[in-house]
Amino acid sequence: KQEVTQIPAALSVPEGENLVLNCSFTDSAIYNLQWFRQDPGKGLTSLLLIQSSQREQTSGRLNASLDKSSGRSTLYIAASQPGDSATYLCAVISGGYNKLIFGAGTRLAVHP
Amino acid sequence: NAGVTQTPKFRVLKTGQSMTLLCAQDMNHEYMYWYRQDPGMGLRLIHYSVGEGTTAKGEVPDGYNVSRLKKQNFLLGLESAAPSQTSVYFCASSRDSWLNYGYTFGSGTRLTVV
């Protein structure tokens, strides 16, 4: 059974810091991996989608990497801003049908 | 440019009452999903549909029923609500080629069962 773990569960950093969020999965047979952002009381916004054949994806200050063999993905946020404060969720698609399996998320707080 | 719309946004139910959550998407997506989100547990799949007229069970289907009579709508029903069903419910959809396009989520329904 695929399990997704995100470490740390919570993170507080000063503005301007570069930071890394971690995601690990137990079964390397994934189709793709997706990073989401969730603001309090809101839905999920897709940030980056990495196909199983890709190693990384970039969007603005965000860079996500994927290492299938080790079952890991990282989300790198450069020059963090208070507006980056949110919960970041990692999810993979694996198994015999197309469902997302989520980690519990990392709650990020960027303070001025 | 509505995407995925969920109604209602908030609801309080008494134990034993029934209700239906509506999810509507305007992107002509084939696949639709219902998830629940509980503190510290991430999102868990309740039911999903791979096309109009089809439904299938996810990870936590007990106590819920679904219907997909029209391609654009996916309904989640609670026949007899229980306090354990207090949660935030999210609907999502994806294109037939989900490998390439990922998922689009609604803004959620916060349900409290008292």
Side-chain angles (χ1 to χ4, degrees), chain A residues 51-62:
Chain A
Q51 303 297 340
S52 62
S53 58
Q54 297 175 320
R55 298 284 292 185
E56 65 178 343
Q57 281 286 342
T58 298
S59 176
R61 294 182 294 107
L62 305 179

Side-chain angles (χ1 to χ4, degrees), chain A residues 32 38 49 51 93 98 100, chain B residues 31 33 35 37 98-99 103:
Chain A
N32 60 38
Q38 184 177 27
L49 171 67
Q51 303 297 340
I93 294 182
N98 55 321
L100 277 173
Chain B
Y31 300 136
Y33 316 84
Y35 287 86
Q37 184 178 34
W98 47 268
L99 290 172
Y103 288 58

Side-chain angles (χ1 to χ4, degrees), chain A residues 1 31-32 34 36 38 40-46 49 51 87 89 93 95 97-105, chain B residues 31 33 35 37 40-45 48 50 57 59 90 94 98-103 105-108 110:
Chain A
K1 179 184 175 183
Y31 294 108
N32 60 38
Q34 198 164 3
F36 295 89
Q38 184 177 27
K42 301 291 180 62
L44 281 69
T45 301
S46 179
L49 171 67
Q51 303 297 340
T87 297
L89 297 161
I93 294 182
Y97 48 93
N98 55 321
K99 73 181 183 79
L100 277 173
I101 301 170
F102 282 86
Chain B
Y31 300 136
Y33 316 84
Y35 287 86
Q37 184 178 34
M41 298 187 69
L43 279 77
R44 293 180 293 167
L45 183 66
Y48 66 101
V50 300
K57 294 180 180 180
E59 183 183 359
F90 288 100
S94 63
W98 47 268
L99 290 172
N100 298 318
Y101 296 100
Y103 288 58
F105 278 80
S107 59
R110 185 173 296 274

